[in-house]
Amino acid sequence: RSTPLYSRQRQMCIRDRNITPIFTQVPAICSGATLTPLPTTSTNGIIGSWSPSLNNEATTTYTFTPDAGQCALNTTMTININPKTIPSLFTPLAAICSGATLTSLPTTSTNGIKGSWSPLLNNEATTTYTFTPDTGQCALNTSLTVEVKVTPIPSLGQQQIFCTKPMPTIAKLNAIGSAIKWYNSANAVNSLSLSTPLIQGQTYFASQTIDGCESVQRLEKNVNIINCDV
């Protein structure tokens, strides 16, 4: 049989027709963002608890169950979790030769995500760059690899000794490689003509070109010219 206290509570709940707890809707968040614990007291004074546990990675409907002894109904709240957008369609950069100019990477993806790249651009080695979206955007990191073609220096040919007659020229120098070019210094811009006379004791520098890319480093070769008439 009902106790007098239970009867009075039941009569009050029937009279009040059970109260629906009221809560402020939690706005949608980005997947993985911090999800603040839900309040355990409704704005109209109902105390209770929520289930299941908060999930900041998937849209979930939570149920609020009032504590016993309150004339209140269960209620629910759905918190939407927005998936992170993948920054897309960064146009791949064509491979460059080592030392060539490397164009700056765009800071806005074609689907509107703004951010920055790291590490700093490197025009001497193939590098994978990471794009990090600016804060406040529901977006993932992405990456882009820029190929830098590094051509090795040519190999040293056989040792050479030149006679003063006939006058030896650049054409007589040997080095093993592809499309060999000779220079009068390690940093010279213009290569020497094959008809350029050799100078005794001068050091010459050879590059090679493979797949359209000339080696940045150069092979050193010292010239020894003797009088062969003696």
Side-chain angles (χ1 to χ4, degrees):
R1 249 169 37 182
S2 300
T3 64
L5 176 60
Y6 177 80
S7 296
R8 287 197 300 272
Q9 289 176 335
R10 185 170 182 275
Q11 289 171 2
M12 291 174 62
C13 287
I14 292 174
R15 183 192 65 198
D16 294 339
R17 299 182 182 278
N18 289 327
I19 300 169
T20 299
I22 299 172
F23 294 92
T24 300
Q25 175 64 46
V26 175
I29 66 167
C30 181
S31 177
T34 300
L35 188 55
T36 303
L38 295 174
T40 55
T41 301
S42 69
T43 56
N44 55 342
I46 305 301
I47 300 172
S49 59
W50 293 91
S51 63
S53 298
L54 292 180
N55 183 352
N56 66 348
E57 295 182 351
T59 296
T60 304
T61 297
Y62 302 92
T63 298
F64 178 80
T65 302
D67 290 348
Q70 301 173 101
C71 296
L73 300 170
N74 289 3
T75 192
T76 62
M77 179 189 296
T78 299
I79 300 177
N80 291 312
I81 307 297
N82 296 325
K84 290 185 176 181
T85 301
I86 299 175
S88 63
L89 297 179
F90 284 109
T91 303
L93 297 183
I96 66 167
C97 297
S98 179
T101 300
L102 184 55
T103 304
S104 297
L105 298 174
T107 55
T108 302
S109 68
T110 55
N111 57 342
I113 306 300
K114 296 181 179 180
S116 57
W117 293 92
S118 63
L120 296 176
L121 292 181
N122 183 354
N123 67 346
E124 295 183 350
T126 296
T127 304
T128 296
Y129 300 94
T130 298
F131 178 80
T132 303
D134 292 343
T135 56
Q137 300 174 105
C138 193
L140 294 168
N141 291 1
T142 192
S143 62
L144 180 67
T145 298
V146 179
E147 180 187 359
V148 176
K149 295 187 287 186
V150 180
T151 301
I153 65 173
S155 301
L156 185 65
Q158 65 183 12
Q159 292 296 323
Q160 293 177 280
I161 297 177
F162 301 97
C163 294
T164 55
K165 296 180 182 180
M167 178 61 69
T169 64
I170 290 294
K172 296 297 184 179
L173 292 175
N174 64 39
I176 301 172
S178 173
I180 300 295
K181 292 181 181 179
W182 290 96
Y183 298 85
N184 60 11
S185 74
N187 300 313
V189 174
N190 298 317
S191 61
L192 298 171
S193 167
L194 294 180
S195 61
T196 302
L198 297 179
I199 300 173
Q200 165 61 21
Q202 174 73 42
T203 299
Y204 294 92
F205 299 81
S207 71
Q208 68 168 331
T209 298
I210 299 175
D211 194 23
C213 291
E214 186 176 0
S215 58
V216 174
Q217 301 298 319
R218 295 171 181 173
L219 171 72
E220 296 184 26
K221 186 159 187 170
N222 186 263
V223 167
N224 185 19
I225 302 174
I226 64 173
N227 186 353
C228 298
D229 293 336
V230 178

